[in-house]
Amino acid sequence: MIDSRSKIGAIKPYFLLFMLRKKEKQTLSRLFLLGVGAPIGLDRFYEGDVTGGFLAILGFLFALITVVGLLVWIFPFISKTFRLLREFEDAED
């Protein structure tokens, strides 16, 4: 909750989500799915990439088994996170 003494007053955080543009909302949704469901490829399935979703699941299972797999899995995870953050920042004003 936002303190009533803050600059935006009594505006609730969930209300601020309604003020975002469609592109920003989509990017936040994809970031959330990436953060929560990356091991099972939720972000890929959400984007409509079924093949990529299954490959993400296989990649995660490979990462669980080997240390090299973990390094291979972590690099795309971090790069996609930064790509989505840049996309959010670059949304049109």
Side-chain angles (χ1 to χ4, degrees):
M1 298 295 286
I2 295 177
D3 187 17
S4 62
R5 295 171 287 179
S6 68
K7 293 186 185 228
I8 57 176
I11 296 176
K12 306 286 188 258
Y14 59 86
F15 180 73
L16 295 175
L17 290 175
F18 293 114
M19 296 171 43
L20 297 174
R21 288 172 198 78
K22 184 176 181 176
K23 179 80 170 163
E24 293 167 336
K25 289 178 186 178
Q26 287 174 340
T27 304
L28 284 177
S29 298
R30 290 166 52 202
L31 272 170
F32 174 76
L33 289 173
L34 180 65
V36 172
I40 56 173
L42 284 181
D43 59 315
R44 305 288 178 124
F45 288 117
Y46 178 76
E47 294 169 0
D49 184 12
V50 176
T51 306
F54 285 118
L55 289 175
I57 293 171
L58 291 174
F60 181 71
L61 292 175
F62 179 66
L64 282 176
I65 296 170
T66 66
V67 175
V68 174
L70 183 62
L71 295 175
V72 169
W73 182 79
I74 254 178
F75 177 73
F77 176 79
I78 292 173
S79 65
K80 186 167 186 177
T81 302
F82 280 115
R83 181 176 54 84
L84 289 173
L85 287 172
R86 273 189 241 106
E87 196 174 299
F88 182 73
E89 284 181 354
D90 295 337
E92 295 292 323
D93 288 333

